[in-house]
Amino acid sequence: AQALRHALDRGLSSLSLRSTPRLPQELRKLAEALTSGADQLALEEQLHCVSALAFSFGHELAQALERIDAADKATRGERLRRVLRARELLHSRVTKGVSLAELAAEACMSEFHFIRTFRDAFGVTPAKYLEQLRMQQAQALLQRTGLPVSEVARRCGYTNMSAFGRAFRRAWGKPARMVR
């Protein structure tokens, strides 16, 4: 359990686990279940959940690795590691936003090469990826809170309500006020 906590706090961050928030959450639950002396069935259920999430995450990484254009697997792996670091930066600054120059610097790539590699790995450009993150956050806030749409837009990093409305309609096919 102690090794699992240490891995969560330090060792697994290079895998960009922020982009798959359920895996660290479930790993923490497993660590708690191990230390609290939970019954065997509860431990098995938690382990099964962690295994399924880890498999899904590994599958996502393998697919991203295969899509990156490079001569050999080692180069593809290094490029994926770099864009995962940049993707983690995107996740950590979803409301504030981040410039293309900052993302490229985080990945130690030129802006052009970064955009191309990011799109190869994740199927969308960094700007579109950020918009998708914001729209997922907006939908969750609209469904789980009673916040006004303008406040949801602000919390998702939008200062312009028209831009938020267009993005939301593109993402979900209906206006934000209709989600509730």
Side-chain angles (χ1 to χ4, degrees):
Q2 186 71 357
L4 186 56
R5 283 197 182 103
H6 178 73
L8 281 167
D9 292 339
R10 293 188 179 42
L12 296 178
S13 65
S14 65
L15 293 177
S16 189
L17 289 177
R18 284 188 189 138
S19 60
T20 52
R22 280 201 55 216
L23 184 56
Q25 290 169 359
E26 295 301 328
L27 283 168
R28 281 189 180 81
K29 286 181 187 176
L30 178 60
E32 289 170 13
L34 286 168
T35 57
S36 70
D39 68 355
Q40 187 67 27
L41 183 59
L43 282 173
E44 286 179 17
E45 285 179 15
Q46 193 61 40
L47 188 58
H48 176 71
C49 183
V50 166
S51 298
L53 287 168
F55 177 79
S56 176
F57 182 66
H59 183 69
E60 175 194 346
L61 289 179
Q63 286 180 328
L65 184 66
E66 289 302 315
R67 288 189 300 258
I68 293 175
D69 184 30
D72 61 6
K73 195 170 188 171
T75 304
R76 286 195 311 263
E78 178 60 21
R79 288 182 185 169
L80 178 61
R81 187 184 66 75
R82 289 178 182 192
V83 295
L84 282 170
R85 274 196 351 232
R87 185 175 81 164
E88 191 168 316
L89 180 62
L90 264 174
H91 280 264
S92 69
R93 302 208 359 226
V94 70
T95 57
K96 293 179 183 177
V98 61
S99 73
L100 179 58
E102 290 173 296
L103 291 171
E106 182 71 22
C108 300
M109 296 178 177
S110 71
E111 292 178 14
F112 173 80
H113 192 69
F114 171 72
I115 290 172
R116 191 178 73 194
T117 305
F118 192 96
R119 186 180 55 234
D120 287 349
F122 305 115
V124 293
T125 64
K128 186 67 176 171
Y129 190 87
L130 178 61
E131 183 179 291
Q132 289 172 350
L133 288 176
R134 287 176 169 176
M135 289 301 105
Q136 289 169 356
Q137 183 180 12
Q139 185 183 40
L141 284 171
L142 286 167
Q143 290 175 338
R144 295 182 189 143
T145 69
L147 293 171
V149 174
S150 59
E151 178 62 17
V152 169
R154 190 190 65 72
R155 287 189 182 191
C156 293
Y158 286 89
T159 56
N160 183 317
M161 280 300 296
S162 296
F164 173 77
R166 285 189 305 274
F168 197 91
R169 213 172 278 115
R170 261 193 317 271
W172 305 112
K174 55 186 167 187
R177 60 181 163 64
M178 299 295 287
V179 171
R180 288 195 182 117

